[in-house]
Amino acid sequence: ATAHFSPYRFEQSNRHLISITSSDLISLENPKPAFVGLPFMHTNLRFPKWSTWAAMQFGHLATKHYIDLYQSQVDTFFQGQTILLEKQQISSDITYGYVLLRYQHFSLGIGLYGFQQTAQDSPSLSHQSIDTADYIHTVKCLYSKVHRINPSDSVFLCEEL
């Protein structure tokens, strides 16, 4: 995956954001720009989070911290609803926090993965290794509210192939 990033350079102009630019871009020293390139990662959160742009551009390269969605879950994501996951969708490297969401190796965006014992409990924030076999696994949609689709709509134009 490192070769995929060779045409780019990462810049951190402040402690909240890492941006990505072309490696050919000449850095300006004076005046120092407040922001260069496209947002890549937000670092001022409890867990660093890829920007939606970065997730969609580079998410297909991820080898961990991703969840492959089923077609029925894709519409749920784009409608801005919480997705209920099946146990076989959860790999051992996933703990509470941000995950990339993909469908057929296409990156769709970012979600917040969590698990809870019952529908009434709030998601567990524990990072300890616990057996989550009897838990409900969910992903909270972090897709932009502006771009969400209506609950009666679908992103698919035809039935599943």
Side-chain angles (χ1 to χ4, degrees):
T2 316
H4 294 284
F5 290 104
S6 62
Y8 304 102
R9 182 176 70 225
F10 293 93
E11 301 273 339
Q12 188 165 7
S13 54
N14 61 55
R15 63 186 182 102
H16 302 289
L17 183 68
I18 296 172
S19 302
I20 189 170
T21 66
S22 169
S23 60
D24 297 334
L25 183 70
I26 298 171
S27 294
L28 296 175
E29 295 300 323
N30 279 326
K32 179 83 172 156
F35 181 86
V36 176
L38 293 168
F40 186 81
M41 182 175 286
H42 303 278
T43 59
N44 61 328
L45 306 169
R46 181 175 180 184
F47 306 103
K49 180 179 99 48
W50 281 23
S51 69
T52 298
W53 176 85
M56 295 179 85
Q57 183 71 24
F58 299 106
H60 67 283
L61 301 172
T63 57
K64 36 188 213 177
H65 303 290
Y66 69 88
I67 295 174
D68 287 318
L69 298 180
Y70 301 129
Q71 182 174 336
S72 60
Q73 295 169 321
V74 172
D75 282 337
T76 303
F77 172 73
F78 284 111
Q79 292 164 357
Q81 300 173 16
T82 298
I83 301 167
L84 294 175
L85 300 170
E86 295 181 12
K87 290 177 181 139
Q88 61 266 26
Q89 290 178 277
I90 312 303
S91 62
S92 61
D93 68 315
I94 296 178
T95 58
Y96 183 87
Y98 298 106
V99 292
L100 292 161
L101 299 174
R102 303 192 305 198
Y103 176 69
Q104 295 184 353
H105 300 287
F106 290 99
S107 185
L108 305 176
I110 301 287
L112 184 61
Y113 169 75
F115 48 88
Q116 56 198 51
Q117 289 183 331
T118 66
Q120 290 79 28
D121 292 342
S122 60
S124 170
L125 297 177
S126 173
H127 296 288
Q128 300 172 6
S129 294
I130 59 173
D131 182 12
T132 61
D134 295 329
Y135 287 62
I136 297 170
H137 299 264
T138 61
V139 172
K140 180 180 178 185
C141 172
L142 298 179
Y143 193 66
S144 169
K145 291 179 183 178
V146 173
H147 297 104
R148 292 180 183 172
I149 64 172
N150 293 323
S152 59
D153 292 340
S154 175
V155 295
F156 298 98
L157 299 175
C158 61
E159 295 297 316
E160 187 171 0
L161 301 176

